[in-house]
Amino acid sequence: MLDYKSMQEKWQKAWADARLFEVEPNEKRGIMVFAAFPYVNSPPHMGHLRTFCTPDVYARYLRTRGTNVLYPFGFHATGTPVIGYAKRIANNDPDLLESLRTFHVADEDIKRMVDPHYIVDYFIKQQEAEFRKVGNGVDWRRKFISIEPLYSKMVEWQFQKLKEKGYLVQGTHPVGWCTNEDNAVGQHDTMHDVQPDIEEVTAIKFKDKDSDAYFICATYRPETLYGVTNLFVNESVEYVVAEINGVQCYVSKDTAFRFSYLFDTKVKGDITAAELLKKVAINPITNEEVPILPGYFVKADKGTGVVMSVPSHAPFDYVALERLKASGYPVPKMEYRKLIELKFPDAKKGLGSTLKPDEFSGSTGDAVHHEIPALAYLEFLRMNPDVDDESVELATKLVYREEARYGVMLVGEYAGKDEPEARDKIKDDLVKSGDAMLMYELANDEPVICRCGTKAIVAIVKNQWFINYGDKKWKEQVHAMFSKMKIYPEKYRHTFEMLIDWIDLRAMERAQGLGTRFPFNPEHIIESLSDSTIYMMFYTFDYILRANDVKPQQLAPHFFDYIISGEGDAATVSKETGIEESVITRCKESLDYWYTNTSSHSAPDLIPNHYLMYMFNHVALLPEKFWPKQIVANGMVNYEGEKMSKSLGNIVPAGDAVGKYGADQVRFIEVAGAELDSDTEFSTNSLNGVNSRIEYLLSQVIEVIKAENGNELKGVDFWMYSRLNSKIKKATSSMDGLMFKGAYDEIFYASIGELKKYKEMGGRNGLVVTDYLSAVIKMLSPIMPHIAEELWHLLGNSTLAATERWPETDEGMLNMELEESFGIVDSTVEDVNRAMELTGKMEANKGKKAKSVKVILAEQWKTEAYNMLVEGKEIGEIIASMQDKAGKDKAAKYLQGFKNRKEATQQVLATQQSLFNAFSESSDYLKKKFGCEVEVEKEQDSKSARAQRALPSKPSIEVVWS
RNA sequence: GCAGGGGUGGCGGAGCCUGGUCAAACGCGCAAGGCUUAGGACCUUGUUCCCUAGGGAUGCGAGAGUUCAAAUCUCUCCCCCUGCACCA
């Protein structure tokens, strides 16, 4: 067993000493391969390794193909998470502390993590150390953090350009808001990490008949305005008169407070529910007068505290009126208008058929009163209107859902239209005519609580800067570029295309967090995804700046204009900035060389955000030669059959995994354990399989260096060479397409099998095995770089395997006929085993031993006729061309058999003679397999009754029992 | 709700775009046997049902259609997953 740890360190040092990964532009074709830089609020775990090892394997592969490859690395620290992290440390958050201990963070370090910058430094150090340990060949000279001053200068340049080009716009935007901290609240800022779910609601104005004031009713269903019978206010709620956007309104006191964050709102004075109840309101769409009635269910903090009542379609309204009547309240006579008809597509659908089993446990009944849909749904759920508020809730949901899906308007301007369409049009009309306004509300079922303990609401942020990704022309350009890009796996192409169309305004400034100050509002910083869309460019010249002690303030916009777009000239820029002209020129050359050809790697979760912005920003800011060429998205890593997650407590730190399982084992299973697009399974099982094969390879290397060379080449040797070259060919094309599993199934797994088979079939030529192993080890080097070095040197080489070239396919050694012949030998072994088992069970043969096995090879004319059938020739035609090689009846029958069974699909290359040779050469092997004598016969020479059953790729078998 | 993706064996997962080579690659699991001091290592064989010397039947979420022929194309329905913006 190898000592993996010291072996890994040995070779990592050898690579470092040879400066293999510190690359500069040269005359070769260059490519920069990079992974999306990681966020530094946690130590890396096994799952991360896949995303960072995949580009390394790819980079190492490309190097073996003669490409000059740069694999740089950087770190992302912008935004609020690190700050939140520091706060949690200060509060001794138990979950966080426990997770840090899992990752072996010392108490001493945890204490100092109250400082966000300490967190950043700590995790950068740790992440770098662990990515080194796993053998990634990174040019670490180019490392940077997204919060360093030099970097910020590039981001400033970027946003100035975006503004110049008209891609920055100002506007309003609804956000979750904490009124205590006066700050936007996102998922990270709430208790239990709830995402504030903001919903647009239509607020309809009902004029007070006797004044200029309006009742404001919030509704999701403006189309039901045609059926309003009354308004509800709650007698236990406090109301106010407020001036909202210049209009006198009646709303709950709570609403006035929330509206002050949405609209221009001034509270004029209190008004009691009792006073409101005396009023009469006017329906803006029908101009009908509607009374105000008490509604027990109306809430002060939802909607506006005033509810429009549509008893025909709203179960709550229906029930409230029923209860009111029952209580003896003088409810005027009113008309329950049916506004929407359900039109089901087929007989299987009906009222209530969208009810899901987990929504309702009771039994349902018949809906009778279809003229009042709200009642019909209540009947369907068999609810008791006096007590069963839960059913009313569910009935409301059902009406809403089914009318949206199957409903057709019966009344109003949009009669005959589907309900959702009518709803939107009516809403737009009302807003346009000033009879309604749009408000926002949190739609979460539970209240959203800020971490400070205050209930969050919705606020509209004014004069907020956005990047306008909705720009049509911009989108077109991105589409055009995208169509030329390579996407791995290709299945994401469609997703990308949809998303390019979908992305719209993106708010890009924040009040809090680490990062670059926004040039047009220095109070704010640039949002943390927006500041990381062209950062890869920085790798190509940042270390040149640092090496020459360039200061941030020297990085004037003209510097970037020159090196990126070639605007101006180096001398002028040098004069302006004080940066030496040669340094500027080197930056430009480096950028030109590395940035014209790139491959970007990450997990697919970055597609709808980072990658979209990556493409848009490149198109907007950089010349076409620097546009992205290739995006690679890799799947996740499961551990022992489960997703790695905090809740399962099965997160394995990267360092632990490498220490415990070995760097190459981890690399292999994570990168080649599954194809790029699917999740890979890290299990003891897969690890054992990999380890045992590594051991086997090692044993073969040791054996072959002791073996004798120079025997004459036999069939099996040619077979081995053919297999090797087929393997190289297949693996090369798989690697080129980033199909690492396909490639390494061939290189690693299949090779072990072939080495064993070769020996079983009597192969013993040391030279052949050495050639074979050398090629396999070279191909193994990208994914198992340490072990490949070890084996490579054991074989007697003194060069580094990492610098060896990938083997070329020697077409002259390919012999598909031979490979097929030996393949048929193998499949025949399986058939014989089966035949022996079956015949052994027969009465006559019980307890006996097989004496011999006859393998009878089909006559050559069968193969020829069969191949003609595959070519699509008619049977008659084939028989005619057969002449007298076989009896015509025999040939016809044989061919018809194939045709009927639809088996004539692939040509058979092996001739009878080549099969005969393969079987003859394998006779020792076969004897050992069967444990009895083996006779190989040609059909035309055989006396066996079974001889004529022989088919081209399937010899006839006869087991002879003693 | 909107948008995107998907439903194949005990499981993971190919194949579906370019219909016939598909009882279904490859892997895992499971079963029997072998090897072995032992084994989570390795090697055989099997793993829908029936037949039992390489034969047949059924089958790819449900239903219908197109076709000589459908997991593969069309339509309808059912179910599942992911994203929806201030969050990296």
Side-chain angles (χ1 to χ4, degrees), chain A residues 569-777:
Chain A
D569 59 87
T572 318
V573 174
S574 173
K575 207 176 278 170
E576 182 192 342
T577 60
I579 307 171
E580 270 177 55
E581 195 175 327
S582 64
V583 171
I584 296 169
T585 312
R586 256 189 86 198
C587 288
K588 182 169 165 46
E589 281 167 1
S590 182
L591 180 67
D592 273 338
Y593 180 81
W594 291 116
Y595 214 57
T596 43
N597 192 15
T598 59
S599 178
S600 174
H601 296 246
S602 94
D605 50 350
L606 294 194
I607 292 174
N609 40 68
H610 167 71
Y611 271 134
L612 279 182
M613 296 159 73
Y614 168 63
M615 295 194 293
F616 273 84
N617 279 276
H618 276 74
V619 165
L621 300 167
L622 306 189
E624 194 167 340
K625 64 180 173 180
F626 292 147
W627 288 0
K629 305 296 185 295
Q630 171 166 309
I631 287 176
V632 182
N634 56 266
M636 306 273 151
V637 179
N638 292 341
Y639 185 67
E640 300 290 2
E642 282 174 320
K643 255 199 169 79
M644 264 188 278
S645 76
K646 251 186 236 167
S647 58
L648 289 170
N650 62 351
I651 295 183
V652 182
D656 290 10
V658 171
K660 192 169 164 196
Y661 307 120
D664 289 348
Q665 286 85 339
V666 168
R667 292 169 65 97
F668 190 89
I669 293 171
E670 297 216 2
V671 178
E675 282 303 356
L676 195 62
D677 58 340
S678 43
D679 294 352
T680 187
E681 202 63 51
F682 197 103
S683 63
T684 317
N685 231 312
S686 48
L687 184 81
N688 287 336
V690 170
N691 273 328
S692 68
R693 285 174 175 86
I694 292 172
E695 299 287 333
Y696 184 83
L697 273 182
L698 181 66
S699 73
Q700 293 310 292
V701 169
I702 291 169
E703 192 176 296
V704 78
I705 51 180
K706 296 185 200 149
E708 283 176 43
N709 295 334
N711 296 326
E712 201 178 321
L713 294 183
K714 296 189 297 181
V716 69
D717 298 312
F718 287 113
W719 171 79
M720 195 64 166
Y721 275 122
S722 182
R723 275 305 307 143
L724 175 60
N725 283 284
S726 299
K727 178 193 311 294
I728 294 170
K729 197 171 183 176
K730 199 172 156 198
T732 307
S733 108
S734 291
M735 290 299 281
D736 285 340
L738 292 100
M739 290 184 285
F740 300 117
K741 183 181 188 324
Y744 283 102
D745 278 353
E746 267 298 328
I747 296 166
F748 190 60
Y749 291 108
S751 297
I752 307 284
E754 284 157 15
L755 279 163
K756 288 183 180 176
K757 183 120 294 170
Y758 173 75
K759 292 168 89 178
E760 264 190 321
M761 294 196 302
R764 56 194 74 251
N765 191 316
L767 210 73
V768 175
V769 178
T770 306
D771 283 352
Y772 187 93
L773 284 172
S774 298
V776 166
I777 289 166

Side-chain angles (χ1 to χ4, degrees), chain A residues 100-120:
Chain A
L100 285 172
R101 289 192 182 112
T102 313
F103 282 98
H104 321 298
V105 181
D107 286 347
E108 181 62 23
D109 289 309
I110 294 178
K111 259 185 226 153
R112 298 182 60 183
M113 284 187 179
V114 291
D115 172 11
H117 289 279
Y118 189 78
I119 297 174
V120 171

Side-chain angles (χ1 to χ4, degrees), chain A residues 49 61 278 298 312 354 535 540 568 582 620 656-657 692 807 815 893:
Chain A
L49 286 180
Y61 167 70
K278 289 180 201 143
V298 176
S312 54
T354 65
Y535 68 86
T540 65
S582 64
D656 290 10
S692 68
N815 185 341
K893 207 173 154 195

Side-chain angles (χ1 to χ4, degrees), chain A residues 401-644:
Chain A
R401 177 160 69 206
E402 297 192 350
E403 290 190 341
R405 196 175 298 183
Y406 307 116
V408 175
M409 280 304 277
L410 293 173
V411 300
E413 197 182 333
Y414 300 105
K417 300 272 187 217
D418 287 345
E419 193 259 15
E421 190 190 345
R423 183 198 309 163
D424 278 353
K425 292 219 157 111
I426 291 168
K427 178 188 80 184
D428 291 347
D429 292 349
L430 289 169
V431 171
K432 221 176 273 170
S433 64
D435 291 317
M437 48 195 194
L438 297 179
M439 58 179 276
Y440 298 95
E441 197 163 61
L442 291 179
N444 305 59
D445 289 337
E446 299 291 319
V448 177
I449 312 291
C450 173
R451 280 190 192 274
C452 77
T454 313
K455 202 166 88 182
I457 60 164
V458 181
I460 287 180
V461 182
K462 285 183 188 158
N463 300 324
Q464 160 89 35
W465 284 94
F466 296 88
I467 302 179
N468 184 14
Y469 292 117
D471 187 292
K472 284 260 162 51
K473 269 212 168 126
W474 199 1
K475 281 185 193 295
E476 277 170 32
Q477 283 178 290
V478 173
H479 273 300
M481 173 194 77
F482 181 73
S483 66
K484 291 181 204 152
M485 284 176 66
K486 287 193 184 138
I487 304 298
Y488 297 98
E490 182 66 19
K491 71 171 180 184
Y492 290 123
R493 183 171 293 276
H494 181 63
T495 309
F496 266 111
E497 265 159 4
M498 303 306 293
L499 289 168
I500 292 169
D501 286 328
W502 161 84
I503 191 173
D504 200 8
L505 295 175
R506 166 99 192 178
M508 50 63 54
E509 50 172 334
R510 293 297 136 78
Q512 289 185 318
L514 303 178
T516 303
R517 299 218 165 267
F518 180 44
F520 306 104
N521 181 1
E523 299 285 296
H524 281 185
I525 62 132
I526 291 166
E527 181 269 323
S528 61
L529 278 185
S530 300
D531 76 2
S532 300
T533 56
I534 57 170
Y535 68 86
M536 320 76 195
M537 211 169 72
F538 205 53
Y539 291 130
T540 65
F541 59 83
D542 67 324
Y543 79 104
I544 302 174
L545 299 179
R546 272 196 297 271
N548 290 282
D549 204 24
V550 172
K551 298 278 178 283
Q553 56 272 21
Q554 290 178 279
L555 291 183
H558 286 150
F559 169 79
F560 294 104
D561 288 338
Y562 175 66
I563 68 164
I564 292 167
S565 314
E567 288 168 28
D569 59 87
T572 318
V573 174
S574 173
K575 207 176 278 170
E576 182 192 342
T577 60
I579 307 171
E580 270 177 55
E581 195 175 327
S582 64
V583 171
I584 296 169
T585 312
R586 256 189 86 198
C587 288
K588 182 169 165 46
E589 281 167 1
S590 182
L591 180 67
D592 273 338
Y593 180 81
W594 291 116
Y595 214 57
T596 43
N597 192 15
T598 59
S599 178
S600 174
H601 296 246
S602 94
D605 50 350
L606 294 194
I607 292 174
N609 40 68
H610 167 71
Y611 271 134
L612 279 182
M613 296 159 73
Y614 168 63
M615 295 194 293
F616 273 84
N617 279 276
H618 276 74
V619 165
L621 300 167
L622 306 189
E624 194 167 340
K625 64 180 173 180
F626 292 147
W627 288 0
K629 305 296 185 295
Q630 171 166 309
I631 287 176
V632 182
N634 56 266
M636 306 273 151
V637 179
N638 292 341
Y639 185 67
E640 300 290 2
E642 282 174 320
K643 255 199 169 79
M644 264 188 278

Side-chain angles (χ1 to χ4, degrees), chain A residues 61-82:
Chain A
Y61 167 70
L62 291 174
R63 277 185 208 113
T64 69
R65 300 296 306 278
T67 312
N68 189 17
V69 187
L70 167 60
Y71 181 19
F73 217 89
F75 296 93
H76 193 201
T78 330
T80 51
V82 170

